[in-house]
Amino acid sequence: MTADHDRPAGLAAFDLTGRVALVTGSSQGIGRALAEGLAGAGATVVVHGRDRAKAERAAAEIAAATGSPTHVSTFDVTDAAAVDAGIGALEAELGTPDVLVNNAGIQRRNPIADFTDDDWHALLATNLTSAFLLSRRVARGMIARGSGRIVSIGSVQSQLARPSIAPYSATKGAIVMLTKGLCADLAPHGITANAIAPGYFATELTAPLVADEQFSSWVRGRTPAGRWGDVRDLVGAAVFLASDASAFVNGQTLHVDGGMTAVV
């Protein structure tokens, strides 16, 4: 990141050349699109996932498509010791990431009366605890350097609820407040923390919902844009929040939802 007096202007402010960006859960879906978008803006991207072979394929495809260097990491984002070791290994090779995107997430569905303890704890660990662990660990190096960008992925469920996903909504609502708390702690050190709240996006994980015409019809009718989101719709927001263009944007949640949260 650059100091205020020599911050680039215009489109140059969106240039991520020379920055290292770690995107958790980026071997597929939204994370994969964000990783490629950041690489396309010039960043050296670390593709992260649980399946190393899958992450390596994604990294190779991103490098081929963008010409930017890529790396792979597969540590467990829900385990503090694994996060510490994983970030330590990245720091030894690349330095502390300039950009952290907390994207790893899962979904579990059940009416609240039938929701299991295991599913509750899995949602908390993957959707919320991972963002805390990664942000805490990476923040140490960002503080020492005096700069950094943390972007966490929320959801329209950060502020809107639907039947059968109350625990998921709880984790995504908490992401918004974690983001504000990170801003309070880290802004004095030249670090920004913001969130992106996607609406309904067509991905590998939502394919059954996309294929359900009744549900898809509801999404199209509920969304002013009249369609499901395409993962590429999220790239501009991610590049903006990762770059010098958003240097004075902090603690905010940017909804990328085709207008869903703007209307009743």
Side-chain angles (χ1 to χ4, degrees), residues 32-69:
R32 167 73 166 73
L34 297 181
E36 183 165 338
L38 296 173
T44 295
V45 169
V46 180
V47 176
H48 169 274
R50 290 174 291 185
D51 182 330
R52 187 166 192 90
K54 190 173 183 180
E56 287 176 345
R57 284 195 302 272
E61 291 166 0
I62 290 169
T66 65
S68 292

Side-chain angles (χ1 to χ4, degrees), residues 218-256:
W218 176 83
V219 169
R220 292 191 298 269
R222 182 64 180 79
T223 306
R227 64 176 175 85
W228 284 80
D230 183 300
V231 291
R232 292 170 295 184
D233 294 324
L234 293 162
V235 169
V239 171
F240 169 62
L241 293 177
S243 71
D244 287 335
S246 62
F248 204 54
V249 178
N250 213 339
Q252 304 304 306
T253 297
L254 175 57
H255 285 81
V256 184

Side-chain angles (χ1 to χ4, degrees), residues 109-156:
R109 300 176 186 276
N110 239 333
I112 192 64
D114 302 320
F115 220 91
T116 68
D117 290 354
D118 285 347
D119 281 348
W120 166 258
H121 290 298
L123 282 165
L124 281 177
T126 305
N127 295 1
L128 181 58
T129 299
S130 68
F132 162 71
L133 294 176
L134 267 294
S135 299
R136 179 180 67 178
R137 179 60 178 80
V138 171
R140 293 166 183 160
M142 289 181 172
I143 289 170
R145 186 179 56 216
S147 66
R149 300 282 185 266
I150 298 174
V151 181
S152 298
I153 305 303
S155 168
V156 288

